Amino acid sequence: MARLLVARQSTSLSNSAPSGPPYAPTTAALGGQPTIGLDVPITAVFLFLFLCGAASNMTIFQLNRRRGHKFLFSGALFGFCMARSLTCVMRIVWAFRPTNVSIAIAASVLVAAGVFILFLVNLIYAQRILRAAHPHSGWHPLLSMAFMALYAVLVATLIILISFTVLSFYTLDPSKRQTAHDLQLYGGTLFAVIAFLPIPIVLGGIIVPRTSRVEKFGSGRFRTKLYILVTAAFLLSLGAWFRIGTGYLTPRPRDNPAWYQSKACFYVFDFGVEVVVIWLYILVRVDRRFYVPDGSKGPGDYSGLIPKTSTNGGTEKTGGEGKMVTRLMSEEEVFDDVPEEEVEQADRETAKARDIEK
């Protein structure tokens, strides 16, 4: 979101466009104005891919709901795919009506704002991995409050961005346009940071020594979850940082765009990376891999392996063999490659050995 929403609004509308309001921008933007010969066929392909992604996510969501497997993120990804489908439709309409500034506004806002859903989903996935790797610190009230505050800031920023972007189309006041531009740069930078944030969260979760085993959640290896999330976050942050990077550069006239404002860059760093992430999540079944039990509120709720305080003041092991040991971890333990059966057997043998020593 580089001057994000501004960049999108800065499209090469025809010189015969109405004088406004709304007013057509005079600077070039990423992707430029869509054309019938080039953009319509390409956008139609992305429209098909997003519609298929929406159908797949809704099918997964409904099948899971019927068997009591609550995974709301499939619904969120369905919403994202539908928003992107609407974006593609608006860009196709815009190609056929190039002088309509209102259509340009709608298409620009949808392109810039839709990816927010993926940023938020990835951040929640990263929070689950952090809580699984470090159950006690990951569930600390201060850390939980920090994440909630971050989510609130993201939502507020999105609302501000959309509002001031639309406002910038309806005013010629230089000070108001500068304010809108500054806010869009702030929002684009914040979203680029959020797109990248899951990567350091995940790396920190596996590098910092743990005081307990990984709380396994969902299906599949813990290592695989890390690879999936880091790959998705890298792709989304690549697109976000490219967009905000171009937003900080000197504006170009709409009839003389720079190479980084080409249509190829637009489709690769916008729709391209998003389609890859959406289908990656569908094919690897994140609804199974990142699922956690309903009502999880603290250490032990993901897997039941962490000791909890009992009502009589002692400790009880919700999974039967949870052990709290402060130590450095082997590579297999870091990535949770030790089979669960072997881990539990080792815990039982350790417990027996300690009983004998006593």
Side-chain angles (χ1 to χ4, degrees):
M1 273 177 150
R3 155 161 53 218
L4 199 19
L5 304 166
V6 152
R8 319 269 202 214
Q9 43 177 285
S10 310
T11 55
S12 15
L13 293 172
S14 167
N15 289 331
S16 61
S19 57
Y23 303 100
T26 59
T27 55
L30 181 61
Q33 177 184 318
T35 59
I36 297 176
L38 178 61
D39 291 84
V40 169
I42 296 176
T43 305
V45 172
F46 280 109
L47 174 60
F48 173 76
L49 292 173
F50 283 123
L51 285 175
C52 290
S56 299
N57 277 296
M58 180 50 64
T59 300
I60 292 172
F61 178 76
Q62 292 296 339
L63 291 175
N64 285 334
R65 185 180 64 84
R66 290 172 187 171
R67 64 187 183 89
H69 183 90
K70 185 179 178 182
F71 192 77
L72 298 179
F73 299 111
S74 294
L77 295 178
F78 163 79
F80 169 78
C81 289
M82 290 304 297
R84 273 295 177 255
S85 298
L86 179 59
T87 304
C88 291
V89 170
M90 293 303 300
R91 284 187 63 83
I92 291 175
V93 173
W94 185 12
F96 284 94
R97 302 184 64 181
T99 62
N100 192 313
V101 181
S102 296
I103 295 176
I105 295 173
S108 301
V109 170
L110 286 170
V111 168
V115 72
F116 165 82
I117 298 175
L118 290 183
F119 295 161
L120 193 60
V121 168
N122 275 3
L123 194 58
I124 296 175
Y125 287 167
Q127 186 181 20
R128 290 187 173 183
I129 286 179
L130 179 62
R131 286 173 170 175
H134 299 276
H136 294 278
S137 57
W139 281 101
H140 194 282
L142 290 179
L143 188 59
S144 298
M145 291 174 59
F147 272 99
M148 292 301 296
L150 183 57
Y151 300 148
V153 169
L154 288 176
V155 173
T157 299
L158 178 64
I159 295 173
I160 292 172
L161 281 174
I162 294 175
S163 301
F164 277 85
T165 296
V166 174
L167 173 65
S168 67
F169 279 100
Y170 286 86
T171 181
L172 295 177
D173 187 329
S175 63
K176 291 182 179 179
R177 286 198 162 190
Q178 184 61 45
T179 299
H181 169 68
D182 293 342
L183 287 172
Q184 288 155 354
L185 287 180
Y186 148 73
T189 304
L190 175 64
F191 282 5
V193 171
I194 295 302
F196 180 75
L197 191 57
I199 296 178
I201 290 177
V202 168
L203 293 179
I206 64 175
I207 292 175
V208 176
R210 295 193 297 266
T211 57
S212 63
R213 292 203 315 269
V214 171
E215 267 199 79
K216 298 192 69 174
F217 65 93
S219 64
R221 286 181 169 182
F222 192 67
R223 176 196 290 257
T224 305
K225 292 180 177 64
L226 305 182
Y227 289 160
I228 293 170
L229 182 55
V230 168
T231 299
F234 172 78
L235 290 173
L236 293 178
S237 61
L238 180 65
W241 282 107
F242 180 86
R243 293 190 296 271
I244 189 61
T246 61
Y248 275 104
L249 299 177
T250 303
R252 300 284 294 266
R254 67 186 186 190
D255 58 352
N256 183 30
W259 66 267
Y260 49 80
Q261 296 170 322
S262 66
K263 296 182 184 298
C265 290
F266 171 78
Y267 287 113
V268 169
F269 292 104
D270 271 282
F271 292 169
V273 295
E274 293 168 5
V275 162
V276 171
V277 170
I278 283 295
W279 281 98
L280 170 67
Y281 281 172
I282 292 172
L283 295 176
V284 303
R285 296 300 302 270
V286 291
D287 61 297
R288 294 176 177 173
R289 295 182 182 275
F290 285 88
Y291 172 78
V292 298
D294 294 342
S296 296
K297 297 180 180 179
D301 287 345
Y302 281 1
S303 64
L305 293 177
I306 303 299
K308 291 185 175 182
T309 303
S310 63
T311 57
N312 60 10
T315 59
E316 56 182 10
K317 298 176 177 60
T318 58
E321 286 95 22
K323 287 292 178 182
M324 302 293 291
V325 183
T326 303
R327 52 189 168 78
L328 295 177
M329 300 166 292
S330 66
E331 179 182 359
E332 290 77 12
E333 291 171 310
V334 167
F335 294 106
D336 199 31
D337 280 344
V338 180
E340 186 67 21
E341 296 77 10
E342 293 185 14
V343 173
E344 293 179 355
Q345 178 62 30
D347 281 346
R348 283 192 290 268
E349 293 177 355
T350 301
K352 291 179 180 179
R354 290 180 177 178
D355 290 340
I356 293 175
E357 290 178 359
K358 292 180 181 179

